[in-house]
Amino acid sequence: MQRIGISGHSNLTAATVPLVADGIRSVLEQHASGGLVGVTCLARGADQIFARVVLELGGTTEVVLPAADYRERKVKPENAAEFDELLGKATTVHTMRFAESNRDAYMAASEHVLSTVSALVAVWDGGPAGGYGGTADVVAAARERGLLVTVVWPDGAARG
């Protein structure tokens, strides 16, 4: 059973979504035959694309929510149905002990993800984090732990 986490940009352009899905799929297909568990914070963008691909490949998902108020405070109305659908398909949902969603909660949730996986897929353009707990910080933390990090940033990918 392979446990793989995700970190990545939430502000992907519409044209980037299928490119990233294909990139994630090519990484995860190598691990799907022995059983695959995808561990995600389920943010819009990379995390939700990853969750869909894991499920398509017959794997299961585990969700780590950064804070008790994450759904009501951070999930935008236009993304609520997809978030709720993917959350409902998770085998487990762990909510961090933060009351409010903030940068510390995001990094703590990502650290929790890293503590439960053997590898990380990073949908990352290689730039610095836009704030504490961003993708660059999670990639650095994963590398410090000695986790295998596979960066997915296909030609033509862009952030919105």
Side-chain angles (χ1 to χ4, degrees):
M1 184 71 59
Q2 185 78 16
R3 295 178 59 83
I4 300 176
I6 179 70
S7 183
H9 301 306
S10 61
N11 59 342
L12 302 173
T13 65
T16 297
V17 170
L19 299 174
V20 166
D22 288 346
I24 291 172
R25 191 174 294 105
S26 70
V27 172
L28 295 183
E29 281 175 337
Q30 305 165 38
H31 306 286
S33 63
L36 176 63
V37 178
V39 187
T40 171
C41 295
L42 213 54
R44 70 182 163 89
D47 281 50
Q48 291 181 11
I49 297 166
F50 173 85
R52 286 221 179 271
V53 171
V54 167
L55 294 168
E56 283 172 20
L57 294 174
T60 60
T61 57
E62 295 178 7
V63 173
V64 179
L65 296 177
D69 73 345
Y70 186 79
R71 165 68 171 78
E72 65 203 59
R73 187 159 173 234
K74 290 307 207 178
V75 177
K76 306 278 188 242
E78 65 272 11
N79 184 240
E82 183 170 8
F83 178 87
D84 291 343
E85 176 192 347
L86 291 169
L87 188 67
K89 291 181 178 181
T91 57
T92 62
V93 178
H94 175 80
T95 303
M96 300 298 291
R97 294 179 183 222
F98 289 80
E100 295 183 2
S101 297
N102 59 38
R103 291 281 174 192
D104 290 332
Y106 303 150
M107 192 63 195
S110 292
E111 290 278 2
H112 182 83
V113 168
L114 296 178
S115 74
T116 70
V117 300
S118 59
L120 179 76
V121 173
V123 177
W124 181 41
D125 63 6
Y132 179 65
T135 305
D137 293 335
V138 178
V139 168
R143 288 179 173 155
E144 286 171 15
R145 289 173 179 258
L147 295 176
L148 171 67
V149 176
T150 303
V151 175
V152 172
W153 194 252
D155 288 343
R159 295 167 70 177

